[in-house]
């Protein structure tokens, strides 16, 4: 990096990191300070960040400046942050999403099938970020956004993809230790073949004398697992949950299975929170409650769509959107949403009068735009269901006469998908025809 002053080029050293290395990647801008964070603007920036552990160091700041489509790729070796090198920096998503990226870790991954998520092990912070990809890991610490939140924080962030793991599996975070999760949510289905499976978090515990906190958050996906399963939080040890809710189905049997929390121990606390009494599975809000406080209520769909249910619990909520409140609700037509999700009441409620989140049984849809090889729009598929999607074949006329369609390219991708190839639909995406 260099500054130009009075016609002279003055070289500036890239910032040294706590582990002695130097972070000096080809990001879109910034110098990693709080006043001028590294700018993450495209797929190449995110790829560069994943490949440079020196850019994960404590004291560095990064900010995402746009939605980033990753082109339907899968990370199968490591995430942002590993067991050996946690992500300790501060990542501000800027209100944007990362789409077209899935995480799938098996025994051959860097952490042997564990620490699976967009962020593997996080000791720093994440804010204002959405991640839409699916996440799977074969061992432990598997989360829709973070595998293991170790003393760090997540705020105003979300994950919408399905999550599957073994032990310590959650829709947003698999395991949180002396950490904070606030104003965040997860909507994907969560499944665990082992213990501690939660719609939002798999396991929350204290780090030293500091318990974890979960506040003003929600989960809507269905949760399946064996023992210690919760619609919001599977297991709660000496940590607190407040002003939160869950909607998803849970198993109908098992040890420590609850519609909101599966298992509580060591002075854990849940206050002013709710679960859906209309969901399927066990009927109790908490499966096992040992020496802990559980002040939460099962409510019907109608009650969960009434603002009085939540004002009576002293939530910061109103029937219409207001930036001064934490929550908003579209009366009688939607569940509570976090006000940071929208910019106005009309945006929140005028789309058929239903506020977010959608019910847990709904299927997300996306728009796929297909450009000709010359860059013009060939056609648009605006009703792409989440999941597998077969790309158009050579039968479509998206290349000049006399040429043949051989594949589809996306921004930031080297090479192309084959025509007829199957990709994962997890966000809006634009493809450009490749001709031969």
């Amino acid at each position: 990096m260099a500054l130009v002053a009075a016609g002279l080029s003055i070289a500036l050293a890239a910032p040294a990191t706590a582990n002695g290395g130097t972070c000096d990647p080809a990001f879109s801008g910034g110098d990693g300070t709080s006043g001028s964070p590294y700018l993450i603007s495209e797929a190449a920036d995110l790829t560069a960040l994943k490949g440079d552990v020196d850019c994960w160091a404590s004291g560095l700041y990064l900010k995402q400046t746009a939605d980033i489509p990753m082109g339907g790729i899968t990370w199968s070796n490591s995430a942002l942050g590993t067991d050996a090198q946690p992500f300790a920096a501060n990542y501000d998503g800027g209100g944007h999403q990362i789409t077209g990226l899935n995480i799938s870790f098996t025994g051959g991954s860097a952490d042997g099938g564990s620490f699976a998520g967009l962020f593997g092990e996080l000791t720093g912070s994440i804010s204002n970020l959405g991640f839409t990809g699916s996440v799977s890991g074969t061992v432990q610490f598997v989360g829709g956004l973070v595998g293991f939140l170790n003393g760090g924080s997540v705020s105003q962030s979300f994950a919408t993809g399905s999550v599957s793991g073994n032990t310590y599996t959650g829709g947003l975070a698999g395991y949180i230790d002396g950490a904070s999760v606030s104003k965040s949510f997860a909507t994907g289905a969560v499944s665990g073949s082992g213990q501690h499976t939660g719609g939002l978090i798999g396991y929350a515990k204290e780090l030293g004398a500091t318990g974890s906190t979960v506040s003003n958050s929600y989960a809507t996906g269905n949760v399946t697992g064996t023992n210690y399963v919760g619609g919001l939080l599977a297991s709660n040890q000496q940590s607190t949950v407040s002003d939160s809710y869950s909607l998803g189905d849970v198993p109908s049997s098992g040890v420590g299975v609850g519609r909101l929390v599966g298992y509580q121990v060591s002075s854990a606390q849940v206050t002013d929170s709710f679960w859906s009494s209309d969901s399927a599975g066990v009927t109790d809000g908490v499966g096992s409650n040992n020496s802990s406080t559980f002040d939460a209520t099962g409510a019907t769909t109608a009650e969960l769509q009434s603002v009085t249910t939540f004002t009576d619990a002293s939530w910061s909520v109103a029937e219409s959107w207001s930036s001064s409140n934490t929550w908003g609700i579209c009366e009688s037509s939607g569940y509570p949403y976090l006000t940071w999700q929208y910019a106005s009441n009309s945006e929140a409620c005028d789309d058929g009068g239903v506020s977010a989140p959608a019910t847990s049984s709904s299927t997300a849809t996306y728009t796929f735009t297909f450009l000709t090889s010359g860059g013009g729009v060939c056609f648009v598929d605006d009703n792409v269901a989440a999941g597998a999607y077969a790309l158009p074949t050579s039968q479509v006329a998206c290349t000049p006469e006399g040429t043949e369609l051989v594949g589809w390219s996306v921004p930031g991708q080297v090479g192309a998908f084959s025509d007829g190839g199957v990709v994962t639909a997890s966000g809006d995406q634009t493809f450009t025809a490749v001709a031969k």
Side-chain angles (χ1 to χ4, degrees):
M1 176 175 63
L3 289 178
V4 177
L8 298 176
S9 178
I10 305 170
L12 297 179
T17 61
N19 59 10
T22 299
C23 175
D24 190 20
F27 291 145
S28 291
D31 61 15
T33 61
S34 59
S36 179
Y38 287 128
L39 301 182
I40 308 299
S41 304
E42 57 187 7
D45 292 331
L46 192 66
T47 301
L49 177 61
K50 179 176 180 288
D52 192 339
V53 298
D54 290 324
C55 297
W56 305 351
S58 176
L60 293 182
Y61 293 81
L62 306 103
K63 185 168 185 176
Q64 189 170 321
T65 63
D67 291 343
I68 298 179
M70 294 296 290
I73 65 172
T74 298
W75 286 355
S76 57
N77 183 52
S78 63
L80 298 171
T82 65
D83 185 27
Q85 186 66 56
F87 191 96
N90 304 283
Y91 192 102
D92 181 354
H96 299 292
Q97 302 182 36
I98 294 171
T99 63
L101 170 64
N102 297 311
I103 311 295
S104 180
F105 291 173
T106 62
S109 68
D111 285 317
S114 297
F115 299 94
L118 177 64
F119 293 82
E121 182 171 351
L122 175 73
T123 59
S125 68
I126 302 171
S127 59
N128 310 308
L129 178 65
F131 180 59
T132 66
S134 64
V135 176
S136 64
T138 55
V139 187
Q140 62 182 354
F141 309 131
V142 181
L145 185 64
V146 182
F148 181 20
L149 182 58
N150 187 4
S153 66
V154 174
S155 63
Q156 293 192 188
S157 297
F158 67 88
T160 61
S162 61
V163 180
S164 62
N166 187 336
T167 303
Y168 307 128
T169 306
L172 187 78
Y175 193 103
I176 69 172
D177 197 353
S180 169
V181 173
S182 63
K183 299 180 182 179
S184 298
F185 66 91
T187 62
V190 184
S191 62
S193 57
Q195 300 184 138
H196 310 294
T197 308
L200 188 76
I201 296 166
Y203 200 105
K205 70 178 291 290
E206 80 286 356
L207 180 61
T210 303
S212 293
T213 60
V214 180
S215 62
N216 295 299
S217 297
Y218 65 86
T220 66
N222 295 333
V223 186
T224 57
T226 54
N227 298 328
Y228 309 116
V229 180
L232 185 81
L233 170 61
S235 298
N236 185 10
Q237 177 178 324
Q238 203 171 323
S239 298
T240 62
V241 177
S242 61
D243 297 9
S244 299
Y245 72 88
S246 65
L247 298 179
D249 297 342
V250 297
S252 57
S253 62
V255 175
V257 178
R259 289 195 182 180
L260 187 72
V261 177
Y263 172 71
Q264 289 208 128
V265 67
S266 302
S267 301
Q269 295 186 50
V270 174
T271 59
D272 299 323
S273 297
F274 298 87
W275 75 89
S276 171
S277 59
D278 292 333
S279 61
V282 299
T283 58
D284 293 331
V286 60
S288 178
N289 190 38
N290 298 319
S291 304
S292 300
T293 299
F294 188 76
D295 178 16
T297 304
T300 64
T301 298
E303 290 169 333
L304 289 171
Q305 295 182 349
S306 173
V307 70
T308 57
T309 298
F310 304 97
T311 54
D312 287 349
S314 300
W315 281 28
S316 173
V317 62
E319 186 175 343
S320 59
W321 182 92
S322 172
S323 60
S324 62
N325 292 322
T326 302
W327 297 91
I329 195 168
C330 302
E331 184 71 6
S332 301
S333 62
Y335 301 101
Y337 58 86
L338 292 160
T339 53
W340 64 258
Q341 294 178 245
Y342 303 100
S344 67
N345 190 65
S346 59
E347 183 181 338
C349 297
D350 285 356
D351 184 14
V354 181
S355 62
T359 60
S360 58
S361 60
S362 65
T363 300
T365 59
Y366 306 107
T367 298
F368 277 15
T369 303
F370 295 90
L371 305 181
T372 68
S373 55
V377 175
C378 183
F379 70 97
V380 176
D381 186 347
D382 60 4
N383 193 32
V384 178
Y389 182 88
L391 295 172
T393 67
S394 55
Q395 295 176 340
V396 301
C398 293
T399 63
E401 185 175 354
T403 64
E404 178 185 355
L405 173 70
V406 295
W408 298 94
S409 66
V410 298
Q413 175 184 302
V414 177
F417 295 106
S418 62
D419 60 311
V422 176
V423 298
T424 300
S426 58
D428 296 345
Q429 183 62 64
T430 298
F431 295 85
T432 301
V434 178
K436 182 176 74 172

